[in-house]
Amino acid sequence: MSEVKLDDLVSLTKRRGFIFPGSSVYGGLSGTWDYGPLGVKLKDNFINLWKYFFVDSREDIYMVDAAIIMNKKVWQASGHVDTFNDPLVECKKCHSRFRADKIDLSHCLVCGEKNSFTEPKNFNLMFSTSIGPIGDGVGEVTIDRAELEKILANNKDSKISLKTDNENLVYLRPETAQGIFVNFKNVVDSFYPNIPFGIAQHGKAFRNEISPRDFIFRSREFEQLEIEYFINPEQWQEKFEMWINLIHQWFNLIGLPAGMITDKEIDGADRAHYSKRTVDFEFDFPIGKEELMGLAYRTDFDLRNIEMFSKKSMEYKPKDGSASFVPHVIEPSFGVERFILAILSSAYKQDEINGEKRVYLDLPFKLSPIKAIFGPLVRNKSEIVDLSKKIFKEIKSEITDILWDDSNNIGKRYRRADEIGTPFCITVDFQSLEDNMVTVRDRNTTIQTRVALDKLSDYLKKQF
Ligand code: GAP
């Protein structure tokens, strides 16, 4: 179990400019989060490393970037319109709504009323909106369909009609995966990769979660990094194992301790409608052991459904001249927010330096938002300040994520740098004027090393 409490992470990330509650100036918007300067850096570093590891360093995976607003047939064909539901219950007394499988149904969490819930009903998690100039342009009114049917049954003169196929209806994508499937044929026809090959996508996904909770763990707007790895079905077991392996290499690369990860085989009844085998990778979050990401064998479910709905063939013709076939798919699906939470919770450390408590983030160098804090020991000696500015300019032109800090209290400077996970603090002091060396202090060990100015850039670059 993680050493840190969720509240400590929420507080640190807000105080130091990583993550803020969404729309906070207006009292917030449940299930949404905004990234501040350091959060953007951390997230970008994570995503760029992911792209390097899973796409750019390989020869079989290519990226697409599909539109977020897609034809609604995409979500009919994928099964999301019919089955992307969570069970919803409502307290008959105070009308608060909850996800039935996540709460104790013996009493209402809001008003305390005992055994007061309605029967669970399916609540579709997709956000819907309209495309094109319809209505007055200020949005839609959402009404419970069953309620509206009741009202209309009692009001025969009403001009309101219930449409089942509204041509302006669109959904915000609940997964990035479908943007890949609908472009499968485009990529094959324009690029003709050898099978097996993968198509990856990074981007936003939206789910109208009944109960968003636990900081960024369950949000209504989040980011996914997904790969659809297209294979010959005969190879699915071998390729599934290959992906389990690669995913563990990834955990290792980003510094998630192996002891905090559990591979969980998902039983048939609990698997998504499209999956023949699913492994969830669980992480020991501060809220307990929960799903970090998933790996699913989606068979040819999606491409077959696209064939059915679009009447277009999704067959792949192998270059060796063998018979064409509709590829099957292995899908690793990474949730960016859950990874950021896992990275922050495993990096959060507390210790004592000279009898003083400190908090530091033991982030891997590649992920740290700021690689080094740089500044003169004192602000009132112009030779030291001038030399510092000169070196800072040179280093910053090579390693951009370096921050100038010349606050006078070096102890506080170190604490602030530690708390945002900065691996190094570089100080120019009186001695630097004599020996052309600077002091480089290591975040984790707090050991200080003298490094020659002409070796400084290599010293830092060595960490990349
Ligand atoms: N394409 C398959 C798919 O979307 P999923 O298990 O529903 O599968 C994949 O989602 C990953 O997306 C999850 O393992 C998790 O990391 C992330 N995720 C899903 N819902 C989320 C939410 N409400 N907030 C944050 N991350 C979420």
Side-chain angles (χ1 to χ4, degrees):
M1 182 89 169
S2 166
E3 284 174 41
V4 60
K5 292 196 188 70
L6 193 65
D7 285 350
D8 294 333
L9 275 184
V10 175
S11 145
L12 184 149
T13 52
K14 181 165 183 251
R15 190 161 31 83
R16 300 309 312 276
F18 283 86
I19 302 170
F20 311 117
S23 314
S24 55
V25 74
Y26 292 113
L29 183 67
S30 172
T32 66
W33 297 90
D34 296 345
Y35 284 76
L38 295 182
V40 170
K41 283 268 174 213
L42 175 61
K43 193 159 63 139
D44 278 357
N45 291 346
F46 172 79
I47 291 165
N48 290 337
L49 194 57
W50 187 95
K51 285 184 185 165
Y52 171 76
F53 184 75
F54 287 110
V55 183
D56 297 338
S57 68
R58 301 176 59 95
E59 291 177 20
D60 57 348
I61 301 191
Y62 314 97
M63 290 209 68
V64 293
D65 183 10
I68 288 178
I69 304 175
M70 305 171 83
N71 190 312
K72 69 173 174 295
K73 283 193 185 142
V74 171
W75 308 109
Q76 289 163 349
S78 68
H80 283 80
V81 170
D82 291 332
T83 61
F84 197 55
N85 303 316
D86 274 342
L88 174 85
V89 287
E90 184 172 315
C91 170
K92 289 181 195 157
K93 189 171 173 213
C94 72
H95 301 291
S96 300
R97 293 178 150 203
F98 303 94
R99 208 175 124 174
D101 56 341
K102 294 282 176 196
I103 57 157
D104 170 8
L105 289 171
S106 65
H107 65 282
C108 173
L109 285 174
V110 174
C111 71
E113 184 77 356
K114 295 214 168 86
N115 303 320
S116 69
F117 289 111
T118 55
E119 282 301 308
K121 68 170 186 182
N122 282 336
F123 177 79
N124 194 287
L125 297 186
M126 286 195 292
F127 279 102
S128 58
T129 185
S130 312
I131 194 160
I134 59 155
D136 53 13
V138 291
E140 295 183 341
V141 178
T142 306
I143 301 177
D144 192 290
R145 190 180 183 92
E147 285 301 315
L148 188 57
E149 278 168 0
K150 261 192 260 165
I151 294 168
L152 293 178
N154 293 327
N155 186 355
K156 302 283 177 236
D157 300 330
S158 169
K159 294 200 173 62
I160 299 173
S161 63
L162 275 177
K163 278 191 191 169
T164 48
D165 188 24
N166 175 355
E167 63 190 33
N168 300 98
L169 174 71
V170 285
Y171 301 100
L172 298 190
R173 66 181 180 203
E175 61 168 15
T176 54
Q178 295 303 322
I180 297 175
F181 289 120
V182 298
N183 280 295
F184 166 76
K185 204 67 184 144
N186 288 335
V187 173
V188 169
D189 290 348
S190 61
F191 203 69
Y192 203 11
N194 273 321
I195 205 155
F197 68 92
I199 304 182
Q201 180 168 216
H202 160 236
K204 291 269 187 183
F206 304 84
R207 296 183 189 179
N208 196 4
E209 297 284 354
I210 297 170
S211 320
R213 64 184 172 95
D214 299 324
F215 193 24
I216 52 175
F217 180 84
R218 193 176 302 287
S219 318
R220 288 185 167 137
E221 176 176 339
F222 55 98
E223 285 177 47
Q224 287 185 321
L225 289 155
E226 297 198 295
I227 300 168
E228 304 307 327
Y229 197 68
F230 297 97
I231 54 166
N232 184 317
E234 285 163 14
Q235 294 182 310
W236 86 263
Q237 271 136 327
E238 175 205 330
K239 295 299 176 198
F240 200 92
E241 293 308 319
M242 175 193 99
W243 275 102
I244 293 182
N245 222 321
L246 270 173
I247 288 166
H248 280 283
Q249 285 178 35
W250 170 245
F251 294 148
N252 188 37
L253 181 70
I254 57 170
L256 294 184
M260 293 177 89
I261 290 157
T262 312
D263 297 12
K264 184 177 167 191
E265 197 72 46
I266 304 297
D267 290 341
D270 293 332
R271 283 198 296 263
H273 57 279
Y274 48 72
S275 176
K276 233 178 172 172
R277 183 181 174 196
T278 298
V279 170
D280 278 354
F281 298 85
E282 295 190 327
F283 186 78
D284 289 335
F285 286 102
I287 48 172
K289 204 186 273 297
E290 293 280 354
E291 177 188 332
L292 169 62
M293 64 164 291
L295 177 68
Y297 171 38
R298 284 180 90 128
T299 66
D300 55 358
F301 175 86
D302 299 274
L303 292 184
R304 287 276 179 212
N305 282 342
I306 291 178
E307 281 194 328
M308 220 154 65
F309 275 72
S310 71
K311 311 270 182 290
K312 295 196 175 94
S313 164
M314 291 294 127
E315 283 194 346
Y316 175 88
K317 192 170 170 34
K319 286 181 187 168
D320 64 10
S322 53
S324 301
F325 62 96
V326 174
H328 282 219
V329 155
I330 311 263
E331 177 199 65
S333 177
F334 303 72
V336 174
E337 279 68 15
R338 297 213 182 158
F339 270 90
I340 296 294
L341 188 57
I343 288 164
L344 287 171
S345 23
S346 65
Y348 188 98
K349 300 267 159 42
Q350 283 173 293
D351 63 3
E352 236 179 68
I353 307 287
N354 302 328
E356 216 186 291
K357 285 211 163 85
R358 81 159 173 159
V359 167
Y360 68 101
L361 293 183
D362 180 13
L363 291 173
F365 188 85
K366 287 187 171 65
L367 295 181
S368 294
I370 305 294
K371 310 302 183 203
I373 299 281
F374 190 100
L377 182 64
V378 289
R379 269 195 308 221
N380 56 3
K381 278 272 168 272
S382 60
E383 304 98 294
I384 296 183
V385 174
D386 290 347
L387 179 63
S388 302
K389 283 187 178 157
K390 181 174 161 278
I391 310 167
F392 180 69
K393 215 170 152 194
E394 282 165 19
I395 296 286
K396 181 133 175 98
S397 69
E398 289 187 57
I399 301 168
T400 48
D401 293 333
I402 291 201
L403 207 65
W404 175 266
D405 187 352
D406 60 0
S407 54
N408 259 342
N409 183 330
I410 190 86
K412 282 197 182 147
R413 214 188 278 179
Y414 286 161
R415 295 295 168 276
R416 274 202 305 273
D418 291 344
E419 216 185 12
I420 61 168
T422 310
F424 298 111
C425 285
I426 305 166
T427 314
V428 180
D429 53 24
F430 293 93
Q431 218 184 316
S432 309
L433 298 170
E434 310 292 324
D435 63 5
N436 273 327
M437 294 178 107
V438 288
T439 302
V440 180
R441 179 242 190 209
D442 180 279
R443 173 194 64 206
N444 290 14
T445 62
T446 75
I447 290 171
Q448 303 190 4
T449 314
R450 295 290 288 174
V451 178
L453 286 181
D454 58 355
K455 301 265 177 348
L456 186 57
S457 156
D458 286 348
Y459 186 89
L460 297 176
K461 279 192 199 148
K462 197 167 75 197
Q463 315 293 328
F464 277 93

